[in-house]
């Protein structure tokens, strides 16, 4: 007889929720994303768009003065706008990550753009042996550091009692999620001593190692930060 | 998720990437609800429910909360899956063991006892009828309010109260715990 208080049983059920041993479902969001391209919502959108275009065309055909007014606006200032059925080849697009690829000793990996959105900025730190690249997206920063699990650490994170440490897995590799109160971090010198420069502060962060690279996703806060960080981590390619 | 208000209209307009970001935020809690109702089919159920939700986003009202709406679809999908297989009775539920956290002072015996108690409770919930598991999953495992649970189940808040009352009584009997007189 553990307890007979109904409120206590409710509290025990609430406590049980996060500890239920459900399937890990690591590729769930990526799998769903892949299926959405075949889902009806997108086709419906195109149908609506087609209907709107047809309605507009009917309206234009019925009123010639309007059509000529619109036609004369196909072009603005020094730019002429030519409607065509098929676009010509536009050559290669600029890859913002290209300079960083040459600055580090490992293949730079990117989060799935479907989840992460476009890359906003890329920075490298040549002071780190093997290289460090930080890729900033709209909502978070993905940092990749040349250092495997067995090697000497290059960064120390100082974690106070109000920061929670959770051990998780990313692609079957051990991962750590630091959350709650911000923690402090600094670089370590080759002898393992903390550099004397001021400490930097960091918020919720997911850390994991894959091959010879340590990965860090930072900047996702709030109750869903951990789930979003894990989904992004799984999406790296 | 903070930008839910921004992502919902984009997803509704057919932006699959915005929708993927929305569901990434409800992934864990959706799996939890699906698992409590449909056991080891949880992953398939959740995936199907997310895809269905995308096609039904035009039914989602702007003044509603996304999470209860999404979880209602997950719970329905889980229930239908369970019924469809003709297995309306118990599911084998388990609680995961606590992971060791190096450097933190945890008492291994206390941790093991806590895991055992959770596992015992999980098994007892799994032995309950489908209807009871559904209301317990939404109210306690997903931590929805009584009003949100009612909206997700499509019934009155008073009905949620009485369904929970009966479900907890059966759970107590399953655990061998008697209610106070």
């Amino acid at each position: 007889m553990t307890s007979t208080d109904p409120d206590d049983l409710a509290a025990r059920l609430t406590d049980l929720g996060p500890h239920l041993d459900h399937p890990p479902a690591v590729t769930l969001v990526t799998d769903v994303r892949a299926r959405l391209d075949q889902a009806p919502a997108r086709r419906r959108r195109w149908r609506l768009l087609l209907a709107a275009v047809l309605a507009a065309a009917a309206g234009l055909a019925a009123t010639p003065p309007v059509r000529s007014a619109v036609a004369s606006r196909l072009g603005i200032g020094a730019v002429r706008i030519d409607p065509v059925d098929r676009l010509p080849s536009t050559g290669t697009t600029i890859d913002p990550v290209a300079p960083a690829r040459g600055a580090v000793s490992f293949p730079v990996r990117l989060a799935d753009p479907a989840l992460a959105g476009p890359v906003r900025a890329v920075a490298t730190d040549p002071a780190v042996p093997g290289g460090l690249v930080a890729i900033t997206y709209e909502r978070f920063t993905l940092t990749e550091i040349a250092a495997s699990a067995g090697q000497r650490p290059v960064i120390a994170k100082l974690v106070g009692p109000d920061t929670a440490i959770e051990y998780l897995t990313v692609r079957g590799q051990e991962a750590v999620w630091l959350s709650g109160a911000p923690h402090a971090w600094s670089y370590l010198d080759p002898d393992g001593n903390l550099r004397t420069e001021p400490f930097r502060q960091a918020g919720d962060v997911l850390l994991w190692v894959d091959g010879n690279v340590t990965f860090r996703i930072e900047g996702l806060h709030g109750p869903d930060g951990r789930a979003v960080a894990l989904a992004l981590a799984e999406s790296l390619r | 998720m903070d930008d839910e208000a921004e992502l919902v209209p984009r997803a509704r307009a057919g932006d699959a990437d915005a929708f993927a970001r929305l569901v990434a935020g409800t992934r864990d809690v959706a799996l939890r609800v699906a698992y409590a109702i449909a056991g080891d089919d949880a992953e398939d159920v959740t995936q199907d429910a997310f895809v269905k939700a995308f096609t039904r986003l035009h039914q989602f009202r702007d003044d509603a909360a996304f999470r209860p709406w999404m979880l209602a679809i997950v719970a329905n999908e889980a229930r239908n899956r369970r019924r469809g297989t003709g297995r309306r009775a118990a599911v084998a539920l388990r609680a995961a063991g606590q992971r060791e956290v190096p450097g933190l002072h945890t008492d291994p015996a206390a941790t093991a006892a806590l895991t055992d108690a959770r596992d015992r409770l999980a098994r007892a919930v799994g032995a309950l009828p489908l209807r009871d598991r559904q209301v317990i999953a939404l109210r306690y495992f997903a931590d929805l309010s009584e009003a949100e649970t009612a909206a997700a189940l499509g019934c009155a808040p008073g009905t949620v109260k009485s369904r929970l009352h009966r479900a907890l009584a059966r759970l107590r009997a399953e655990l061998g715990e008697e209610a106070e007189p």
Side-chain angles (χ1 to χ4, degrees), chain A residues 4 19 24-25 33 45 139, chain B residues 13 17 21 27 96 118 178:
Chain A
T4 56
H19 295 96
R33 176 63 190 83
R45 183 170 64 129
R139 296 180 62 220
Chain B
D17 298 340
R21 283 170 62 189
R27 174 187 174 277
R118 285 184 185 133
E178 296 304 320

Side-chain angles (χ1 to χ4, degrees), chain B residues 7-94:
Chain B
L7 290 175
V8 168
R10 279 174 50 194
R12 192 191 281 139
D15 183 341
D17 298 340
F19 185 76
R21 283 170 62 189
L22 263 179
V23 298
T26 52
R27 174 187 174 277
D28 283 8
V29 74
L31 277 166
R32 217 180 275 171
V33 168
Y35 178 63
I37 301 171
D40 287 335
D41 289 334
E43 183 170 1
D44 285 350
V45 161
T46 308
Q47 200 184 113
D48 288 352
F50 281 174
V51 173
K52 275 188 185 163
F54 184 62
T55 67
R56 290 184 198 163
L57 265 177
H58 60 282
Q59 297 170 0
F60 177 72
R61 298 197 328 273
D62 276 331
D63 57 343
F66 180 74
R67 195 170 149 113
W69 181 81
M70 183 73 243
L71 293 176
I73 296 176
V74 172
N76 267 325
E77 185 69 23
R79 191 192 56 188
N80 293 342
R81 178 75 59 108
R82 199 68 194 163
R83 280 177 173 166
T85 56
R87 295 174 301 164
R88 299 183 63 167
V91 288
L93 299 186
R94 294 165 302 271

Side-chain angles (χ1 to χ4, degrees), chain A residues 21-207:
Chain A
D21 194 20
H22 57 69
V26 287
T27 60
L28 179 69
V29 176
T30 333
D31 292 345
V32 168
R33 176 63 190 83
R35 284 176 63 186
L36 295 186
D37 289 328
Q38 278 83 49
R42 173 158 287 211
R43 288 202 296 273
R44 191 177 62 249
R45 183 170 64 129
W46 284 110
R47 277 204 298 275
L48 288 175
L49 186 62
L50 181 64
V53 168
L54 289 175
L60 291 183
T63 52
V66 176
R67 182 179 52 186
S68 61
V70 172
S72 69
R73 286 178 56 201
L74 285 178
I76 179 164
V79 175
R80 193 182 74 186
I81 298 175
D82 293 335
V84 292
D85 291 333
R86 185 171 297 158
L87 290 179
S89 165
T90 53
T92 52
T93 52
I94 296 165
D95 173 11
V97 190
R101 292 188 201 277
V104 292
S105 62
F106 51 87
V108 174
R109 292 207 274 170
L110 296 173
D112 182 352
L115 295 177
V119 172
R120 296 274 187 234
V122 179
T124 54
D125 186 347
V128 174
L132 174 153
V133 57
I135 303 154
T136 304
Y137 293 85
E138 195 178 329
R139 296 180 62 220
F140 67 97
T141 300
L142 165 68
T143 310
E144 303 175 17
I145 310 159
S148 64
Q151 285 175 1
R152 184 182 54 76
V154 291
I155 285 173
K157 283 179 175 283
L158 306 187
V159 177
D162 295 328
T163 302
I165 308 171
E166 287 176 79
Y167 283 77
L168 311 162
T169 53
V170 168
R171 295 167 184 252
Q173 306 293 315
E174 186 141 58
V176 178
W177 171 248
L178 299 179
S179 62
H183 60 276
W185 70 273
S186 186
Y187 289 108
L188 292 166
D189 70 17
D191 298 323
N193 301 311
L194 274 169
R195 289 194 199 166
T196 51
E197 66 192 357
F199 278 99
R200 300 160 202 215
Q201 210 181 45
D204 295 359
V205 61
L206 179 68
L207 293 158

Side-chain angles (χ1 to χ4, degrees), chain B residues 94-175:
Chain B
R94 294 165 302 271
Q98 193 94 356
R99 289 191 73 150
E100 287 293 313
V101 179
L104 290 192
H105 300 289
T106 48
D107 175 355
T111 308
L114 187 60
T115 301
D116 284 350
R118 285 184 185 133
D119 203 46
R120 197 164 149 264
L121 185 59
R123 285 168 197 275
V125 172
L128 293 176
L130 186 60
R131 266 172 73 82
D132 291 349
R133 294 204 307 274
Q134 196 178 10
V135 74
I136 285 177
L138 291 167
R139 178 70 178 93
Y140 298 118
F141 296 161
D143 210 13
L144 296 185
S145 68
E146 275 184 5
E148 288 171 332
T149 306
L153 292 172
C155 65
T159 311
V160 167
K161 219 181 260 292
S162 55
R163 273 182 66 176
L164 276 174
H165 185 79
R166 284 196 297 272
L168 291 192
R170 273 190 282 268
L171 180 59
R172 221 171 266 120
E174 193 65 44
L175 288 163

